[in-house]
DNA sequence: CGGCATCCTCGATGATACTG
DNA sequence: CAGTATCATCGAGGATGCCG
């Protein structure tokens, strides 16, 4: 495992290098894997939600952090934002194609972890 | 589309609820999506690595954070740790089955983001 | 080499209050 | 309802030094 592994590592290293430095992808990854980003994306995966709905959907998030997280995700092109100029105002958020694209592995990640940790609800699997 | 969506949301909400509270999965997700956790897992995906190799593989990580991140991941059962009592000591890390299981969607996430951002879209993005 | 302990800083986060 | 602004805090994370 030490012999040929070095070559593979060289490849991997080169690839991640672009990434750890100034690649814009780094920011997106940070936003997605941010404390609240992942839950926003997963929540919006099932359907579009308004600010208020989103807030109560994600337990423990403050208005500030929700707004902040949403802003970052909208800027990254993962989430769209639709404003209805009614009274009271109504703002809806949803996933863009990119957002759904990213949300899929995110949900998969979440599923695999919960599946592994709650053997009673999703079939017992032997721990490593 | 908005009508039936409420029901789906009810399901989703109930499901995530268990999760935002005290589910152990929450901790694992936090560790995996922590600032360095994701890179450790992705790095170890290609092959097992020693502490030192891991450190230079992940640009910008400090020894402290690497050790801390590794400890959490080992505790969560995502990473194994093998100590060779030689001089100098030699410690190797690698992914458990669980770790590989989790690393897959993580890599997929990373790939989708870079794929989306790589094609010449550099420079057109607003910095925040 | 691998890693832990300590100190210290800074930014993310939360609470509160205020607008449109 | 959907934010924004301000302030206070708390802990993640970096720097340094010591040890097996």
């Amino acid at each position: 495992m030490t012999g040929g592994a070095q070559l593979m590592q060289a490849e991997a290293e080169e690839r991640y290098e672009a990434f750890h430095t100034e690649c814009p992808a780094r920011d997106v990854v940070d936003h997605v894997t941010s404390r609240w980003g992942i839950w926003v994306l997963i929540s919006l995966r099932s359907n579009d939600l308004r600010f208020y709905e989103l807030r109560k959907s994600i337990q423990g998030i403050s208005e500030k952090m929700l707004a902040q997280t949403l802003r970052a995700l909208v800027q990254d092109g993962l989430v769209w934002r639709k404003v209805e100029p009614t009274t009271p105002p109504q703002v809806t958020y949803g996933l863009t194609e990119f957002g759904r694209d990213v949300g899929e592995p995110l949900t998969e990640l979440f599923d695999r972890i919960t599946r592994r940790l709650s053997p009673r609800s999703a079939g017992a699997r032997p721990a490593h």
Side-chain angles (χ1 to χ4, degrees), chain A:
Chain A
M1 83 177 90
T2 9
Q6 295 301 345
L7 291 177
M8 294 174 59
Q9 175 54 18
E11 285 178 32
E13 208 170 319
E14 177 185 4
R15 192 175 151 214
Y16 299 141
E17 201 148 349
F19 188 72
H20 291 317
T21 51
E22 288 305 324
C23 185
R26 175 58 192 256
D27 292 323
V28 176
V29 173
D30 277 347
H31 296 157
V32 168
T33 63
S34 75
R35 182 160 155 107
W36 303 112
I38 176 173
W39 308 123
V40 169
L41 291 175
I42 290 182
S43 292
L44 288 179
R45 251 201 124 208
S46 29
N47 53 278
D48 304 337
L49 290 174
R50 294 176 50 188
F51 187 88
Y52 182 70
E53 297 173 317
L54 212 38
R55 188 177 177 229
K56 67 175 179 181
S57 165
I58 303 173
Q59 290 199 356
I61 194 172
S62 65
E63 293 186 2
K64 178 187 168 185
M65 291 320 296
L66 178 54
Q68 191 173 305
T69 302
L70 283 170
R71 219 180 308 140
L73 295 178
V74 167
Q75 226 166 20
D76 289 340
L78 292 154
V79 172
W80 51 255
R81 172 195 156 111
K82 184 179 65 180
V83 182
E84 306 264 18
T86 63
T87 34
Q90 188 166 321
V91 183
T92 311
Y93 294 91
L95 295 185
T96 62
E97 190 204 324
F98 185 19
R100 281 191 297 276
D101 211 33
V102 161
E104 196 181 308
L106 221 49
T107 304
E108 181 64 23
L109 171 74
F110 167 57
D111 280 344
R112 294 191 180 192
I113 291 177
T114 48
R115 206 179 302 142
R116 176 76 58 148
L117 294 184
S118 30
R120 47 178 190 177
S121 60
R125 300 180 64 175
H128 61 285

